[in-house]
Amino acid sequence: MLWKCSNCGFMHEDNEAPEVCPKCGAPKEKFVALSEEDGEKIYNSDRTNDIHMEIIDLAMKIADLALEGIEINLDPPCVSVFEKACDEAWVIKQRSKAEIAGHMTKGKW
Ligand SMILES: [Zn+2]
């Protein structure tokens, strides 16, 4: 069962609400139980947010590798491939970051 602190939005997973909110210190009474449907949405968005984080991580690795390739500077076509990979990795990273930010504002976390 999921409980949400109505003061700060902290999510608690247990049969009962905590005595005090670990984040803001609000008392137990401030916690509201989420419906099964809302709980399901939270679990699904939790997983998708993790996936976005992992994609951001991988995109940063691609950018790092591409920068190393650019530095080696083997020949112009090779550098061009790395430059494109770097640009594309940046787009992948920013797109996932924007999506996570969107989830936050819609209460999906
Ligand atoms: Zn709280």
Side-chain angles (χ1 to χ4, degrees):
M1 186 163 204
L2 277 175
W3 300 83
K4 185 181 177 180
C5 174
S6 61
N7 192 45
C8 74
F10 181 85
M11 276 319 159
H12 177 81
E13 187 185 23
D14 204 349
N15 292 330
E16 274 186 65
E19 288 305 319
V20 287
C21 175
K23 181 166 181 290
C24 73
K28 193 175 190 168
E29 302 77 59
K30 288 280 179 190
F31 277 84
V32 288
L34 294 183
S35 70
E36 201 168 312
E37 194 191 343
D38 283 348
E40 185 79 2
K41 265 188 225 160
I42 298 290
Y43 284 123
N44 286 338
S45 54
D46 192 51
R47 179 60 190 141
T48 52
N49 285 341
D50 283 350
I51 292 170
H52 281 303
M53 297 292 277
E54 210 168 321
I55 284 173
I56 289 166
D57 207 45
L58 289 169
M60 285 166 79
K61 279 185 193 140
I62 291 171
D64 281 349
L65 286 170
L67 286 173
E68 191 189 334
I70 290 166
E71 224 158 84
I72 291 170
N73 196 11
L74 183 66
D75 55 49
C78 186
V79 168
S80 165
V81 165
F82 288 136
E83 280 171 351
K84 282 183 187 135
C86 198
D87 290 347
E88 286 156 3
W90 174 261
V91 170
I92 290 168
K93 183 176 88 154
Q94 293 306 315
R95 209 166 36 209
S96 278
K97 280 174 105 174
E99 186 58 24
I100 290 175
H103 288 183
M104 299 286 174
T105 60
K106 289 177 211 143
K108 294 180 189 165
W109 69 93

